[in-house]
Amino acid sequence: MRKSTLAIILAGVITPYSYASQAIQAPLLIFEELAERPSSALVADLDGNGVPEIILADNGGNYLTVLTVHSATDIEVFQRLETGSANGVGIHDVDGDNHQDLIIDVGANISVYKGNSSGQFETSPSSSLQLARASTVIRFGDANGDGAIDIFSTSVFEDSITVLINDGTGTFAEAAESPFPTGQRSGDLEVGDLNGDQNIDIVTVNEQSQDLTILLGNGQGSFSPAGSNVVFNFSGAPTGINLEDWDLDGDADAFIVSCCSILPDGSLGTGVSVLESDGVGNFEELTNIPVGSNIGSLPTGDFDRDGDSDIALITADSTISILQNNGSGQFSLGAMSPPIDDKDPRLITVGDFSGDGIADVATINRTTDDLSILISDGSGGFSSIFPTALSFGVDPVAIALADINSDGKQDALVTRRARGDIQILRGVGNGLFQDGGIISLTGVNPRTREPSGIQAVDLNDDTFEDVVVAKGPENSVAVFLGDGAGGFSAAPGSPYPVNLGGRDIAVGDVDADGLADIAALGFSADAVAILLGNGAGEFTLAGDGNPIPVGDGPVAIKLFDLDSDGIGEIITTNQIDNSVSILKSDGSGGFVSALPSPLSPGTRPQDVDVGDFDGDGNQDLAVINGTGRDIAIFLGDSEFQFQHAPASPITLPGLRGENIKTADLDDDGDLDIVATYGIPNGTLVLLNDGSGQFTTRGDTPFPLLPREILVNDLDGDLLPDLFMFFDSDEEEVQAVTSDVIFTDSGEDPIIE
């Protein structure tokens, strides 16, 4: 999961700006995808200004995101950290400097990121400890009475608890007697003083043995069982626990969630058991509440302003309910929130997001990959629900440039996989863009829509740009016809099934009828499907031989008329067998391999572009290799024979190739190359001498990884500009213009 940033490199212009500037009225997080499968959420005021932050960790990506909630409708990114795939997160002052620090659990590794007075965390861990066993849940408390925060971790695979002792500087080491045994499949745990001796004790819920493990601490980092594991009538397997003084008698009571309980109507659901502490390290069952379905955490807060702690939980039908405490540990189910429709809330956290002193709720929603804020009404219910513009899924995939509103300026279309739509950015000149709305794709769940490759081209000969987009999970291609004013409508019959997972697409004439056809690439199918166009924007799947086999693991496709016969050939880069396939059309929508295809360009070819590099009238190929760290140049002839050019391959400055495009960058009449690479990140310009020999004219480093690159005149000066978006952990989407690659002086490009 990665956040993506946009950059525009213009010839001879230096105009930095961000989407927060006057030129852009789009949401702050227009491209941002914050976390993939959020695993943990908590609320803290990190900078001490009275405004809460939400800290999000995820186990599907590599980032931790801190969001400042100014109000339910005003949320901004406070900080982003690349931490690795996180199972859990904690905020505590672990080094005694009075600043909150960040503790990240990435399975078998605990890392500490130290905080400063402004609430920001260091970008790399100050200490890291490799555990002997993978952790499931982490909690915090002072295990040995030295005033420093220690760490407690369960391991579901080992049926044990690991205790990590802090030396006072934020460096941890496993306690001498750790690990401590638990019941079978220990999951959630909590720590607190259970017997009134002022020492930290531990409780775990054990799903398989359906009991609790209670370990009493001696205040020196050692723990011993309170007795045999405690078994209660959970009516199911216990999965979650919360410790708090529910009855206000001074000792910690327990609140247990169990799955697969038998509900009063005979169905299976979730039960909640409230256990009262006996003050000496054990519990007595107080009440058992069937609540229906429940997923996620059990945050607490005073939602009804009566001075005791209530509990927020996710119930059936995607609603949020409050279990209201009467002050003696007796709970009743309060009013349910309105359904958070079609969002599937999976994780909740609590904070005062409206500034009225009453606990509110934030939900992380799985289906729509976004965040909702529920404002409490002060009586145990909710007065309003605010969906946000945040998104937690996979980042944008591909971009296309076209003048979609006929104003003479290039616009941008970006496929956004997690949101299942196409973002339109309208060009206003000089490389500036404004929010132009979205093109919605069919399907209720964004994860079944997942757009990937995109092309903008006139499909129905009305002079207006139309849009073609691959929809991988649906095995289809969607076509949207443009009205010339920036609006789009689905073509009749769209989306069109292609019977293979669509990853990338190309548009061209493959059957010699002068009409645009579509070639859809399937990575897992190792094949290309052909959709034949009728000239009105409607398409049908070609017949015999479709789909057409290509190499193993194809990732990029081009349709290009290599032999100048008016019919496009298929070119694919195939990462698994390290090849490039070239398929020649038979003139009726079928294809055969063109000898000597496949070519061997190098290791994991990532992208390909076509052009006549040596001026002989035949098309040549430029292939960038992902882990091969180079660019292979193949010079072609009229018989589809391709040979490596002299000095090919060309070594990249980075360890990973990304994208490659050809264009006449220096206005000398031949095609040059611009390529993006990563580790370190940058853009490389190769100038052609007219014979297919290339010279590295410049290497422009970027702090971010360029994901995709297009070349076009964005500011109307007839010079080629670059349009890119990047992997990023910056706070906001940015677009910048710079002369670091090109000048418009009439001389060769100057690289600084």
Side-chain angles (χ1 to χ4, degrees):
M1 217 284 34
R2 294 166 296 195
K3 176 180 173 182
S4 293
T5 297
L6 174 69
I8 295 110
I9 312 291
L10 292 186
V13 181
I14 306 178
T15 314
Y17 73 96
S18 75
Y19 281 178
S21 73
Q22 186 175 4
I24 290 292
Q25 302 300 320
L28 172 68
L29 303 171
I30 191 169
F31 284 130
E32 187 166 28
E33 314 297 348
L34 292 176
E36 186 178 350
R37 297 196 304 273
S39 59
S40 183
L42 56 90
V43 175
D45 180 8
L46 296 176
D47 51 6
N49 65 352
V51 178
E53 275 76 44
I54 298 177
I55 298 95
L56 289 172
D58 71 270
N59 60 15
N62 295 314
Y63 288 97
L64 180 133
T65 304
V66 183
L67 306 172
T68 298
V69 185
H70 297 289
S71 71
T73 57
D74 183 10
I75 302 174
E76 68 173 345
V77 178
F78 183 70
Q79 189 178 13
R80 292 261 292 164
L81 290 173
E82 188 170 3
T83 60
S85 181
N87 292 330
V89 58
I91 302 291
H92 292 278
D93 178 11
V94 298
D95 56 3
D97 65 354
N98 296 318
H99 301 145
Q100 295 296 305
D101 306 307
L102 176 68
I103 305 97
I104 297 287
D105 167 25
V106 289
N109 185 278
I110 303 291
S111 296
V112 176
Y113 295 77
K114 291 192 176 181
N116 58 29
S117 58
S118 64
Q120 298 274 338
F121 301 106
E122 293 179 353
T123 57
S124 59
S126 59
S127 66
S128 187
L129 176 65
Q130 187 74 30
L131 302 182
R133 57 204 67 85
S135 62
T136 306
V137 176
I138 56 172
R139 296 291 183 261
F140 306 90
D142 184 2
N144 59 355
D146 64 355
I149 293 293
D150 306 310
I151 297 175
F152 305 79
S153 169
T154 58
S155 176
V156 68
F157 304 108
E158 301 285 343
D159 295 333
S160 65
I161 295 172
T162 298
V163 178
L164 303 175
I165 301 299
N166 184 359
D167 67 0
T169 68
T171 300
F172 294 84
E174 191 164 350
E177 299 179 23
S178 177
F180 301 94
T182 67
Q184 295 176 301
R185 287 190 64 84
S186 56
D188 201 6
L189 85 155
E190 281 290 351
V191 297
D193 182 8
L194 301 178
N195 57 0
D197 64 357
Q198 309 304 309
N199 298 323
I200 287 290
D201 308 309
I202 306 171
V203 186
T204 72
V205 292
N206 309 310
E207 186 173 350
Q208 186 169 333
S209 53
Q210 296 190 1
D211 56 16
L212 306 182
T213 297
I214 300 174
L215 300 174
L216 301 180
N218 65 0
Q220 298 177 2
S222 182
F223 297 84
S224 57
S228 60
N229 286 356
V230 181
V231 179
F232 291 98
N233 180 26
F234 297 122
S235 299
T239 57
I241 182 172
N242 205 322
L243 283 183
E244 197 156 332
D245 184 7
W246 303 116
D247 52 9
L248 305 178
D249 65 354
D251 50 43
D253 309 306
F255 182 98
I256 310 293
V257 171
S258 55
C259 76
C260 309
S261 298
I262 299 176
L263 303 180
D265 63 1
S267 64
L268 291 178
T270 298
V272 172
S273 297
V274 181
L275 309 179
E276 182 180 19
S277 172
D278 64 5
V280 295
N282 265 308
F283 296 97
E284 298 174 355
E285 190 162 12
L286 190 61
T287 185
N288 198 300
I289 310 168
V291 296
S293 62
N294 177 84
I295 303 170
S297 54
L298 295 168
T300 65
D302 186 2
F303 295 98
D304 52 11
R305 296 184 291 183
D306 64 355
D308 54 42
S309 288
D310 312 303
I311 298 174
L313 73 162
I314 305 169
T315 56
D317 302 322
S318 294
T319 62
I320 306 300
S321 287
I322 303 300
L323 283 173
Q324 291 179 264
N325 186 0
N326 67 359
S328 62
Q330 298 285 340
F331 290 83
S332 60
L333 193 61
M336 293 184 180
S337 73
I340 306 175
D341 291 330
D342 300 322
K343 290 182 176 292
D344 191 13
R346 306 290 288 185
L347 196 65
I348 51 179
T349 190
V350 170
D352 180 10
F353 303 124
S354 59
D356 60 1
I358 308 171
D360 306 309
V361 170
T363 73
I364 288 88
N365 310 312
R366 183 172 68 173
T367 299
T368 49
D369 294 313
D370 60 9
L371 182 74
S372 295
I373 301 290
L374 289 75
I375 302 300
S376 294
D377 61 9
S379 62
F382 300 98
S383 60
S384 53
I385 300 176
F386 295 92
T388 73
L390 305 181
S391 181
F392 309 118
V394 184
D395 49 2
V397 182
I399 55 178
L401 290 176
D403 180 7
I404 64 172
N405 57 353
S406 307
D407 64 354
K409 302 178 180 69
Q410 292 293 307
D411 309 302
L413 301 107
V414 183
T415 56
R416 304 191 298 179
R417 182 179 296 160
R419 301 188 188 186
D421 60 23
I422 302 168
Q423 173 71 50
I424 299 172
L425 296 176
R426 290 209 174 107
V428 297
N430 295 323
L432 301 182
F433 289 81
Q434 291 180 336
D435 180 20
I438 62 171
I439 302 174
S440 297
L441 303 180
T442 57
V444 175
N445 188 340
R447 296 215 180 274
T448 65
R449 301 197 293 260
E450 286 194 359
S452 50
I454 186 171
Q455 293 282 305
V457 65
D458 181 8
L459 299 174
N460 54 1
D461 201 27
D462 62 358
T463 72
F464 302 143
E465 299 284 1
D466 308 307
V467 173
V468 184
V469 61
K471 296 171 61 180
E474 281 190 354
N475 294 318
S476 66
V477 171
V479 174
F480 297 90
L481 302 180
D483 61 9
F488 292 89
S489 59
S494 176
Y496 303 102
V498 293
N499 301 325
L500 77 169
R503 178 178 181 126
D504 197 8
I505 52 174
V507 179
D509 181 10
V510 303
D511 56 0
D513 62 358
L515 306 176
D517 308 307
I518 300 170
L521 180 67
F523 176 81
S524 58
D526 298 334
V528 173
I530 300 297
L531 291 165
L532 299 177
N534 66 357
E538 302 174 41
F539 295 84
T540 56
L541 196 64
D544 294 342
N546 201 23
I548 303 152
V550 292
D552 194 0
V555 295
I557 183 171
K558 294 289 188 296
L559 267 180
F560 202 93
D561 184 5
L562 294 175
D563 55 2
S564 302
D565 64 354
I567 306 173
E569 278 72 47
I570 292 174
I571 308 163
T572 68
T573 56
N574 314 307
Q575 284 197 341
I576 294 179
D577 65 5
N578 299 320
S579 71
V580 172
S581 295
I582 302 173
L583 303 176
K584 182 172 174 55
S585 173
D586 63 9
S588 61
F591 286 83
V592 295
S593 179
L595 296 177
S597 176
L599 301 177
S600 299
T603 306
R604 295 187 71 81
Q606 177 74 14
D607 195 14
V608 60
D609 208 356
V610 181
D612 181 5
F613 300 136
D614 55 4
D616 65 354
N618 299 314
Q619 298 300 320
D620 311 308
L621 303 179
V623 182
I624 189 167
N625 294 306
T627 56
R629 311 175 186 180
D630 55 25
I631 297 170
I633 307 296
F634 292 93
L635 301 180
D637 60 23
S638 59
E639 301 299 323
F640 285 91
Q641 301 293 317
F642 290 89
Q643 303 293 331
H644 272 285
S648 173
I650 302 167
T651 302
L652 290 168
L655 299 182
R656 181 170 110 198
E658 283 290 328
N659 296 103
I660 191 166
K661 291 293 181 291
T662 62
D664 184 2
L665 302 178
D666 53 4
D667 197 29
D668 64 354
D670 52 45
L671 288 177
D672 309 303
I673 291 174
V674 59
T676 63
Y677 58 86
I679 316 175
N681 308 317
T683 300
L684 183 69
V685 173
L686 300 171
L687 296 184
N688 188 358
D689 67 0
S691 67
Q693 299 290 312
F694 291 87
T695 302
T696 301
R697 188 69 172 98
D699 168 26
T700 303
F702 290 105
L704 313 174
L705 175 63
R707 289 289 305 282
E708 187 163 356
I709 183 171
L710 296 176
V711 181
N712 212 310
D713 176 15
L714 300 177
D715 55 359
D717 62 359
L718 304 181
L719 298 173
D721 307 311
L722 302 186
F723 184 109
M724 292 182 282
F725 67 76
F726 300 82
D727 280 354
S728 169
D729 58 3
E730 297 296 320
E731 291 189 3
E732 61 187 4
V733 174
Q734 295 184 2
V736 297
T737 60
S738 169
D739 65 353
V740 294
I741 292 183
F742 307 112
T743 66
D744 58 358
S745 63
E747 305 292 335
D748 285 351
I750 298 174
I751 310 302
E752 298 178 351

